[in-house]
Amino acid sequence: MKITYYRALFDFMVAAYILCSMVIGGITITPAIILLIFFLVVILSEAGKIGLDLGHLTVIKARLPAAFTVGFVVLALPMTALVLILKISPLLALTISAILVLLSSHFFAIKTASSQKNWLLDIIILLVAASAILFFSKVPISSQVILGKTGTLPVWNDYFIHGATIASLGSPLSLGGNIEFAGNGYQFYHYASFIFSAIFHIFPDISGLALSTSMLLPMGLLFAVLGGYVLAVELSGRIGGVLALTALLCIPAYAAFIQSGWFDFYWLLFTAPGSGYAIGVACVACASAGIYLDTKDIKNLFLVMLLLFSLILIRAHMFILLTPALVTMIIVENWLNKLRHPYLMLLSMILFATLALKFFPNLHEIWMSFSKPYKYLNFAQNQMLFHEHKIELFKIPFLTIFTQLNLILISVLGGYFILYPILALLHARYNGTSAVDILPLLLIVCFLCLMLFSPVARNGDASEYKHRHFVLLYAIIAIYTMSYACNLLEKYVGTKLQQCFGCALAIVILAISMSLNYLKNPSSPDTKSMPWAGGLHNQPITPGLIGAASYMATHSRRGDIFSMDASLASGVLSNPIIEVISLSGVPAYISRPELYLKGSECARKITIDRLHRLEKLSKIDNWPEAKKYLQTYGIRWFLVPAGQKIAWDITSKYAVFSNEGISVYDSGYLDGYRHEPQC
């Protein structure tokens, strides 16, 4: 493994960024943590180098950030597979994957002639971008510190769920499966974005919640920046990359015309931290696809497909948006010249589908029940304000849908709804077009089609496949818009003036944005257009829960599980049991039962049985019998929050720990988890 000076500098920058985010997040840094971070970063870079070399992408312009982003895919996928299938720790999975990477580097080394010109400039640009991320994201990253001081979590409640997911993968107390449903296997989920954060759960003083805010989130933001920069540099050079990053980090263009918290780019980027990882990988996939269209090297295409399909395990929503658009772009490049009237054919297909849905009632009914587009479009419209007033439309079928779709596009793209088509037309007029130029249009078409035709999720959420991917659409449209602007500027004023003007503009915008957003919380939802969001953000934790979780984490051994009353288990987005898991890493007997009641027959049966047992437990009137009952079903810990009384210990006499009214009961260590039928 050969590490150049510039690559060592880049790796050091990334490692320093991760360390800074951990310090801001209140994590005590030890030599072991420092060594592990540097080891992870070096292996990531080497894995990415191997991926680029094997994919024949040595010509990619921003090689260092591209290699690091590709390295995430090359390393995270085998690690995730090892953890999920063999149920080993993420640290062991990293060790095994690192050995494979080093062996591959030795035996399959490829001599590359990639130029190191401008690598130092890339490092400086990304250093500034990484510093800006830490500046703007200080409040979300320091969430656990703020929680400890105020008892309030200053981010979306989902971070307790993210923390629980990290704990399920990496907690030494985890049973190697669904930590919310002890003894049962992992569900299908995009775990790859959580796998690196889970490595650090091996340190007992670091909770899943702390890792979700101080590592999962900032690393996702960094990958989004790295990937976006790679795509912008391919489209318009490094000044285009600078302007694209400035636009993404500093300019809330989405809010230009319509106020909509539901389509707030920053809100969802921070609420769903896996989005940043997916945006980065998707942007590198787009840049790689553009190179494939120029070279027609089949190995380029293999790497594009790897990046594309990896999105299923990173953030599946992005996969369903990007795949049809990217595949269509590649097909268009190969077949466009063979079709006489491609746009006429596309319009004919849209018209045919529209008439079929209009005049065939059965087909229309199937569509309505399968996708429920009206329900989602009406909901999305209700989250919009125009000059602080709700937008009302006449209820005319098709015309209403058409208007709603345009309103959603305006809400998602904001200023780019106007800027992008103008600059795209000017760019086409003066610089010509290629297949890569139709990608944004294809993404818009796919986005609209997903809102109309994607199915309702298994959990009953009609927005699951229609909404979560809008951040990718916004990011790519912003990158293309800034790239076109940069190219046009170069054509009119020349390269040197373009570089000077671009850098000066970026510095001014960054300075203004930093002065306006000092200590603001970018993860805060817009509660004016989304009043319901206030109940899921900046919410107080159950009193005493932090101390109780800490006590359990300190005194637990692998195989221990805990429970609370069945009435506290419900709540898909938030409940006290999720909070305890995220803070302690101890598996729960049952949490969020409504999810499993909608699952397989096996999961439904076990869920019903466990809820019934907890109901029966609440009726026991003495501690010795309750203790024996808990032991029978493998439950060591039982928590009772303030204000709730239990029949078998009204005075909390038998509690082993009490804090701010919460009581913790210990039925005794059990020799291994008492397995029930698993799903």
Side-chain angles (χ1 to χ4, degrees), residues 50-70:
I50 294 170
L52 290 180
D53 289 346
L54 292 177
H56 286 191
L57 277 177
T58 56
V59 297
I60 200 163
K61 294 175 184 175
R63 183 174 172 83
L64 289 176
F68 197 76
T69 308
V70 172

Side-chain angles (χ1 to χ4, degrees), residues 178-256:
N178 189 342
I179 203 167
E180 299 181 47
F181 199 23
N184 291 277
Y186 292 105
Q187 294 181 298
F188 177 77
Y189 195 62
H190 26 245
Y191 288 109
S193 55
F194 295 86
I195 199 69
F196 293 154
S197 302
I199 296 169
F200 294 85
H201 213 312
I202 192 172
F203 299 102
D205 295 335
I206 307 179
S207 69
L209 177 64
L211 288 169
S212 71
T213 56
S214 64
M215 189 169 184
L216 175 70
L217 171 63
M219 278 198 75
L221 297 174
L222 181 64
F223 277 115
V225 163
L226 294 175
Y229 180 74
V230 170
L231 177 58
V233 170
E234 287 299 317
L235 292 172
S236 57
R238 282 166 173 80
I239 296 302
V242 169
L243 290 175
L245 292 189
T246 305
L248 286 174
L249 290 172
C250 303
I251 304 175
Y254 55 85

Side-chain angles (χ1 to χ4, degrees), residues 373-401:
Y374 293 151
K375 178 181 179 181
Y376 174 72
L377 294 176
N378 290 334
F379 173 81
Q381 179 190 327
N382 288 332
Q383 316 304 309
M384 299 177 187
L385 294 176
F386 184 71
H387 292 291
E388 299 191 356
H389 294 287
K390 288 285 185 182
I391 297 175
E392 301 293 340
L393 300 176
F394 294 107
K395 299 301 179 182
I396 304 173
F398 285 104
L399 181 59
T400 301
I401 289 182

